[in-house]
Amino acid sequence: MIQQSVPDTVCDAELDAAGLQCPMPLLKAKLELNRLASGQILKVTATDPGSQRDFRSFAKLSGHALLREEAGDGLYRYWLRKA
């Protein structure tokens, strides 16, 4: 599922989706990915536990790479590399 490790500080754009409920974190991430060039990395921070399922499925279906995900202290972080 997670294709490679990426350091916490490595990203080209960040999206704070904390406080948003499904499906908004994923929808906002898709919009932000549209602005990035192929190969760039988006870091997303969310608070919705359902975002884990959403981001995993989205990465598989979209072709974007889910490089890393973290969960802790009520926060969920995802690093996506645009296809």
Side-chain angles (χ1 to χ4, degrees):
M1 177 179 317
I2 298 172
Q3 296 183 0
Q4 72 184 66
S5 179
V6 59
D8 184 42
T9 57
V10 174
C11 66
D12 298 293
E14 291 189 48
L15 172 64
D16 182 2
L20 300 177
Q21 297 300 312
C22 179
M24 291 308 294
L26 183 59
L27 292 176
K28 289 192 173 277
K30 288 168 77 173
L31 290 173
E32 190 63 32
L33 282 167
N34 287 340
R35 297 181 189 147
L36 298 179
S38 181
Q40 288 189 305
I41 296 173
L42 172 65
K43 177 184 175 185
V44 180
T45 302
T47 51
D48 181 9
S51 66
Q52 289 182 302
R53 177 194 65 243
D54 293 345
F55 278 91
R56 291 172 186 163
S57 296
F58 172 68
K60 285 181 184 177
L61 295 172
S62 69
H64 301 304
L66 180 58
L67 301 175
R68 177 177 172 183
E69 64 178 282
E70 294 178 352
D73 298 328
L75 292 176
Y76 302 89
R77 294 180 187 90
Y78 309 95
W79 286 260
L80 293 160
R81 176 176 285 135
K82 183 172 179 173

